[in-house]
Amino acid sequence: MKIGVVGVGAVGSTAAYALVLNGVGNELVLVDYNPKLAIAQAEDIWHATPFSHAVKVRAGDYSELAGAKVVIIAAGVGQKPGESRIELLARNAQVFGTIIPEVLKYAPDAILLIAANPVDIMTSVATEISGLPAYRVIGSGTILDTARFRTLLGQHLGISPISVHADVLGEHGDSEVLIWSGAKAGNTSAHKFAEQIGRPLTEEVKARIDVGVRRAAYSIIEGKGVTNYGIGAGLTRIVKAILHNEHAVIGLSMVNPEIVGVKNIALSIPRVVGAKGIEATLFPSITPEEEAQLRQSAESLKAAADAVLSATRS
């Protein structure tokens, strides 16, 4: 199946590379406002196919997206000096206003996978601009935050993060909520597992992991300017679930009619993902404190999204 990537900077190109290395899809089309960049990225990634999978990789314009099952949108603009967050978001909304109609002109049946930050708000923007049903506009959401949580928790417990089951809900950002109450190691409560092996999850340990998850992007960006490998792998996981019709449960962002009392806002909770996009939304068992934190996250996102959408409409 054909996959499109619009915007092939660090995130888009890494996602494309991860797709090829994992053999997800059989044709990959890269589109960018800078055609030379798209051509260079496509050629470089194509040269990796003899060592991985026989995926056809090429650059093209929007017309080359015809027939794409999934289109990853990783395009956006950077913040200018003195520019407010809402002003930046409004400019990125304008970028989406140019990109999305062109994508749907040639690939009207595609599922849109949003990877531009702040991803939850941009998922709301993309849903409004596209006019598509919400289940076909998927934000990468907290898939990366969840991976960070599982990695750090696994490190503390001395086990593979693959054996850790723990989720981050809400915003992909500062108000995200680590769901400690449902964290498991294998099929055992992470708290009980930790006690059994003599590595209890004290408040100090949990606070350290929380900071490690919540501040990961800041430390990575300080060191190298961008985060791209983790999210590139996460986007590949989402596309795989769609192309293979896995009905996989993944924490992703989508516009919800209502979550914890907040209406029409995109944020991450567990979703069932398959060939049609998001097939079902699951609300996990969480504590009253976690639910209050999730509501706070939703309200923060709602205020920002409403401001951006209002600026875009005007």
Side-chain angles (χ1 to χ4, degrees):
M1 290 186 180
K2 182 189 290 187
I3 304 161
V5 181
V6 178
V8 291
V11 171
S13 63
T14 304
Y17 183 52
L19 289 165
V20 167
L21 290 185
N22 287 278
V24 178
N26 56 22
E27 184 177 0
L28 189 58
V29 177
L30 310 187
V31 180
D32 197 274
Y33 80 99
N34 179 353
K36 288 185 177 180
L37 176 62
I39 291 168
Q41 298 282 36
E43 185 174 2
D44 199 11
I45 294 169
W46 181 43
H47 293 161
T49 58
F51 310 112
S52 53
H53 296 272
V55 180
K56 182 179 180 181
V57 186
R58 58 193 170 90
D61 57 23
Y62 288 104
S63 67
E64 300 292 329
L65 297 175
K69 175 65 176 178
V70 181
V71 176
I72 299 170
I73 300 181
V77 296
Q79 193 164 12
K80 296 179 178 179
E83 185 176 40
S84 72
R85 181 173 182 240
I86 297 301
E87 288 171 337
L88 171 63
L89 287 168
R91 287 203 298 128
N92 269 321
Q94 291 174 351
V95 171
F96 270 35
T98 300
I99 290 172
I100 290 174
E102 286 296 304
V103 170
L104 295 179
K105 178 180 178 180
Y106 297 102
D109 298 322
I111 293 168
L112 303 183
L113 178 51
I114 310 303
N117 277 321
V119 69
D120 302 291
I121 296 171
M122 297 313 297
T123 300
S124 292
V125 169
T127 303
E128 173 153 312
I129 290 172
S130 68
L132 294 175
Y135 64 84
R136 282 180 54 197
V137 185
I138 304 172
S140 57
T142 57
I143 191 170
L144 178 55
D145 310 275
T146 292
R148 290 166 174 163
F149 186 18
R150 294 177 181 181
T151 299
L152 293 178
L153 183 51
Q155 181 184 49
H156 175 75
L157 297 176
I159 62 174
S160 166
I162 296 173
S163 297
V164 176
H165 309 284
D167 294 302
V168 177
L169 307 184
E171 177 190 15
H172 170 54
D174 293 341
S175 71
E176 64 192 23
V177 184
L178 280 65
I179 306 300
W180 285 100
S181 63
K184 291 186 175 183
N187 66 351
T188 304
S189 160
H191 289 82
K192 290 183 179 180
F193 186 99
E195 291 288 344
Q196 290 176 24
I197 64 170
R199 298 180 182 180
L201 288 170
T202 63
E203 291 304 313
E204 180 183 356
V205 169
K206 289 165 66 176
R208 185 174 69 247
I209 291 174
D210 186 285
V211 170
V213 173
R214 201 177 300 274
R215 303 296 298 178
Y218 295 97
S219 62
I220 293 170
I221 289 170
E222 181 181 357
K224 68 170 193 168
V226 67
T227 65
N228 56 312
Y229 295 117
I231 189 57
L235 292 167
T236 297
R237 177 69 189 95
I238 300 165
V239 175
K240 179 174 177 286
I242 294 169
L243 296 192
H244 294 188
N245 195 26
E246 287 186 17
H247 314 293
V249 178
I250 306 173
L252 297 171
S253 189
M254 181 187 83
V255 174
N256 307 275
E258 184 272 330
I259 289 290
V260 291
V262 181
K263 298 183 182 297
N264 298 317
I265 186 60
L267 50 65
S268 286
I269 55 176
R271 319 281 185 177
V272 179
V273 187
K276 295 181 180 179
I278 291 177
E279 301 174 338
T281 291
L282 312 171
F283 196 85
S285 297
I286 58 178
T287 67
E289 180 182 4
E290 290 166 343
E291 184 170 341
Q293 292 171 349
L294 184 58
R295 185 177 300 109
Q296 183 178 14
S297 182
E299 289 171 347
S300 173
L301 284 169
K302 176 69 172 174
D306 285 351
V308 173
L309 292 171
S310 176
T312 302
R313 291 166 189 150
S314 62

